[in-house]
Amino acid sequence: MSEVSNPFFNAMEQLDKAAGYISLDERIHTMLKQPDRLIEVAIPVVMDDGTVKIFTGYRSQYNNSLGVYKGGIRYHWNVTVDEVKALSFWMMIKCATVNIPMGGAKGGVIVNPKELSEGELERLSRGYIQKLWMVLGSDKDVPAPDVYTTPQIMGWMRDEFEKIIGKQDPGVITGKSIDQGGSEGRGFSTAQGGAYCTRELAKNMNMIPEETTIAIQGFGNAGSHMARLLSEMGYRIVAVSDSKGGIAINNKQVTTNKLNIDALTEYKARTGSVVGFEGTTEISNDDILTMDVDILVPAALENVITPENAGNIKAKAIVELANGPTTPDADEMLKKMGVVVVPDVLANAGGVTVSYFEWEQNVKGEHWTEADVLTKLEKIMVDAFHEVWSTKEQYKTDMRTAAFIKAVDRVSVKLTETL
Ligand code: NAD
C-alpha cells in the first residue's frame, strides 16, 4: 500500500498538523503515534462442510486516556491492519471532539460475510470473542456494529463474552436492540447529531432554514433520517440520491418547492429507490455533489469528494455525515474555495454519543426515555459544535483541523498526567 492510500499515514499527517498548531509536547506527540495495544488473532471456524478455515481478526486499542476504549468491529474483505489502526485513532479523535468520556478503538475481521452461512457467521463472531475476551468488557473496551456487522452479531458476541466471564455485562457492547439493553434514539442518533450541527452552522452562517437548500447523497440509515429531521426543521431538501441514482426537485427556483420526505421515504420503501419520485428529475450520483445548493450532505460512501469534482462544488457548506467522504487533497481545495466543512468526527458523532449513553445506562442499570436521550445529545453536540467553531476562528483554520486541535489537546492533558 502506498503512503498516499494508507489511511494510517493520513491519520498521522492529521495528528502532526494539529500538533503543530498547539505546539504539542514532543513526548505526548510520540506517544500518540501508535495504538496502546494492537492485537492480531487467527480465528478458526468450522465451516458447514466440516473443513476448518482460519480468519484473521484485529483489535486496535488506540488510547484510553479519556475513558474505556470504544469502537466498532468491521467485517470486510478489504480490512487491513493499517485501516483498523487509523479507524481506532479517528474514534479517539471523535470521542474527544464531542468531549465524551470514551477512548478510541476499532476491530476488524478479513471476511466477506455474504459468503458465510448464518451458522458460520455465528461461529466466526463467537470465535472473535474467544480470542479477545480478555481485553474487552464494559470497564475495558466496548465494541459496537460497523460495516457489515449487525445487532444480531453483537448479540452473539455479548452472549459468548458473558458465557466466558460467567456473569452478565450488557455494557460490553453497544448498538444492541432495545430488548437487549439498547438505547432509545440510537437508530437515528447519527442523523440527529448531524441535524443539530447543521442548525448551529446555519445560524453562524446567517442562513434561514426556509431559504436554505440542501442536497443529500445517500438515503440509508444516516441520510434518510437526516432528510426527515432537517425537513422537519424547515430546511428545503431539494435533492437526494441512493446507490441507484439521484433525484432533484423540478423548478428548484420556486422557493416553496422542496421534497416531501415522508412521501419519498414511503416511495423508497415501496420501490427500492428514490429514483422516479413524482415531481423530480433524475440526476447522477456525481451530479448531486456539484448541485447549486447551500448545504451538501454526503451520507453514503468515503472518498466521494475528490480533486476531480471539488472545484465544481457550489455549496457554501458541507456537513460530513458519512465517514471520510472528502479526500485530503479535495479538503485543501475546499478550504481555499472558502467552503465550510463540518468534519465527520463532529458531524456524525451523534452515533457514538448515544452509544456512550447506552453503555452508561447499562452500567448504571437505567433506561432513559427518548426525550432524555435527545436532550443530553443536543447539549453535547451544540457545545462541541461551538467549541470547534471558536477554535477554528482562534487558529484561523478549517473546522476539521480545529476539531483535531481540540481533541488532541484534550487527550494530551490526560496523557501528561501519566508522565
Ligand atoms: P446505509 O447502508 O444505511 O446507507 C448507505 C446509503 O448510501 C444507501 O442509501 C445506499 O443506497 C447509498 N449509496 C451506496 N452507494 C452509493 C453511491 N455510489 N452514491 C450514492 N449513494 C450510495 O449506511 P449508513 O448507516 O446510513 O451509513 C452511511 C455513512 O454514514 C457511512 O459513511 C457510515 O460510516 C456513516 N456513519 C453512519 C453511522 C450510523 O450510525 N449509521 C454512524 C457514523 C457514521
Side-chain angles (χ1 to χ4, degrees):
M1 192 185 289
S2 75
E3 284 194 337
V4 217
S5 61
N6 181 330
F8 191 64
F9 180 83
N10 291 340
M12 290 304 97
E13 278 206 325
Q14 291 170 326
L15 170 67
D16 295 346
K17 194 169 168 190
Y21 274 96
I22 52 172
S23 308
L24 183 66
D25 181 335
E26 206 37 60
R27 299 169 302 168
I28 303 292
H29 194 171
T30 306
M31 288 163 79
L32 285 175
K33 282 186 177 167
Q34 50 190 323
D36 287 341
R37 185 188 268 149
L38 177 66
I39 306 176
E40 175 178 325
V41 291
I43 309 167
V45 175
V46 180
M47 306 302 281
D48 290 346
D49 64 5
T51 59
V52 167
K53 207 167 163 187
I54 308 286
F55 293 89
T56 303
Y58 300 103
R59 187 75 184 163
S60 170
Q61 296 178 327
Y62 208 89
N63 186 278
N64 64 351
S65 299
L66 298 178
V68 297
Y69 297 108
K70 180 96 198 73
I73 300 172
R74 174 173 294 197
Y75 282 4
H76 200 277
W77 50 98
N78 283 337
V79 162
T80 66
V81 67
D82 279 325
E83 179 189 63
V84 176
K85 276 165 65 180
L87 291 167
S88 67
F89 170 81
W90 287 319
M91 280 304 293
M92 175 192 80
I93 295 290
K94 194 180 287 192
C95 294
T97 298
V98 290
N99 205 11
I100 57 173
M102 291 264 152
K106 202 79 183 191
V109 177
I110 305 174
V111 58
N112 182 351
K114 293 177 197 163
E115 288 174 355
L116 299 194
S117 69
E118 188 171 319
E120 290 166 343
L121 200 57
E122 177 173 355
R123 293 193 285 284
L124 173 68
S125 306
R126 290 183 182 277
Y128 184 86
I129 295 297
Q130 284 159 13
K131 288 290 171 94
L132 286 162
W133 67 271
M134 60 297 276
V135 298
L136 304 176
S138 59
D139 57 347
K140 290 182 190 149
D141 181 357
V142 181
D146 192 70
V147 175
Y148 290 136
T149 47
T150 57
Q152 163 81 84
I153 291 174
M154 296 301 117
W156 290 324
M157 288 186 165
R158 175 188 163 191
D159 182 62
E160 191 64 27
F161 181 78
E162 292 181 336
K163 266 191 195 149
I164 295 171
I165 66 163
K167 61 175 183 182
Q168 291 221 334
D169 188 16
V172 63
I173 277 171
T174 60
K176 303 181 291 292
S177 54
I178 303 263
D179 60 332
Q180 282 238 355
S183 179
E184 303 290 342
R186 176 64 185 93
F188 60 95
S189 54
T190 301
Q192 185 73 64
Y196 291 139
C197 283
T198 309
R199 185 189 69 192
E200 299 309 301
L201 171 81
K203 277 188 215 160
N204 282 5
M205 293 183 72
N206 298 318
M207 294 176 177
I208 297 160
E210 288 69 21
E211 295 173 7
T212 303
T213 51
I214 299 184
I216 303 179
Q217 185 193 47
F219 204 70
N221 179 289
S224 67
H225 284 301
M226 184 74 160
R228 175 180 58 80
L229 292 163
L230 291 177
S231 181
E232 284 168 9
M233 289 174 173
Y235 292 93
R236 287 182 63 207
I237 313 293
V238 294
V240 300
S241 70
D242 59 29
S243 58
K244 306 224 170 70
I247 51 165
I249 190 92
N250 292 337
N251 306 319
K252 180 163 73 70
Q253 61 285 3
V254 178
T255 55
T256 47
N257 266 5
K258 58 184 179 179
L259 291 168
N260 176 336
I261 303 300
D262 287 342
L264 178 60
T265 305
E266 189 275 323
Y267 177 83
K268 166 139 187 166
R270 189 158 40 85
T271 65
S273 172
V274 294
V275 176
F277 185 61
E278 201 186 346
T280 64
T281 306
E282 189 170 348
I283 55 171
S284 79
N285 256 314
D286 290 336
D287 292 344
I288 198 164
L289 298 169
T290 52
M291 266 190 72
D292 187 6
V293 287
D294 297 304
I295 300 177
L296 173 66
V297 180
L301 309 172
E302 65 273 17
N303 297 334
V304 289
I305 301 176
T306 66
E308 279 70 54
N309 60 16
N312 296 327
I313 284 184
K314 295 170 199 74
K316 300 180 190 72
I318 297 176
V319 178
E320 293 186 338
L321 209 54
N323 275 315
T326 312
T327 68
D329 290 350
D331 213 24
E332 278 302 316
M333 290 172 67
L334 293 170
K335 188 176 169 184
K336 290 199 183 104
M337 289 158 63
V339 179
V340 177
V341 179
V342 183
D344 49 4
V345 290
L346 172 63
N348 70 32
V352 72
T353 302
V354 175
S355 276
Y356 152 59
F357 293 160
E358 178 178 338
W359 170 83
E360 193 178 345
Q361 290 169 77
N362 294 156
V363 171
K364 293 183 174 165
E366 296 175 353
H367 187 78
W368 305 344
T369 62
E370 186 179 295
D372 278 344
V373 168
L374 295 186
T375 306
K376 288 169 197 275
L377 176 65
E378 180 170 12
K379 169 141 185 45
I380 287 181
M381 295 305 303
V382 171
D383 286 354
F385 180 89
H386 290 289
E387 279 172 357
V388 171
W389 186 275
S390 54
T391 306
K392 161 182 98 78
E393 304 280 289
Q394 183 188 343
Y395 289 94
K396 302 198 177 2
T397 184
D398 56 291
M399 285 190 84
R400 190 184 318 278
T401 307
F404 274 71
I405 288 174
K406 203 77 206 148
V408 169
D409 192 40
R410 281 199 176 110
V411 173
S412 87
V413 168
K414 285 283 178 191
L415 266 182
T416 307
E417 292 168 11
T418 67
L419 291 176

